[in-house]
Amino acid sequence: MNQNDQSDIKRRFGKAVRRRRRELDISQEELAERAELHRTYISGIERGERNTSLENIEKIAKALEISIAALFTDYGIEESETP
């Protein structure tokens, strides 16, 4: 995986988190509180700037009231396969 691929997955994950957060109509601050993370960390994730650990992905998914699998599949994180 090259640098662009890493940035792309971070950006796609951030968009998914933002989209789900907005569906729940909660602020970044509320999400951060629910996930026991800092608001600026959530902001960095949503902007695609953070390389989020598996532990924090789990915290965020729980705070967003969604499974990790659903967050990845239902919100377009999985990269579409190209032949």
Side-chain angles (χ1 to χ4, degrees), residues 18-33:
R18 178 180 292 130
R19 189 169 144 210
R20 177 62 180 164
R21 178 178 61 78
R22 287 180 174 168
E23 283 180 359
L24 295 175
D25 194 30
I26 61 174
S27 66
Q28 286 181 344
E29 188 171 3
E30 174 68 18
L31 175 56
E33 187 175 304

Side-chain angles (χ1 to χ4, degrees), residues 13 15-24 26 31 34 56-77:
F13 180 70
K15 282 185 172 184
V17 169
R18 178 180 292 130
R19 189 169 144 210
R20 177 62 180 164
R21 178 178 61 78
R22 287 180 174 168
E23 283 180 359
L24 295 175
I26 61 174
L31 175 56
R34 290 182 183 191
N56 287 341
I57 289 171
E58 182 178 46
K59 287 180 178 182
I60 291 165
K62 285 180 180 180
L64 291 172
E65 303 170 6
I66 192 169
S67 71
I68 294 170
L71 184 59
F72 275 71
T73 57
D74 297 350
Y75 292 86
I77 295 172

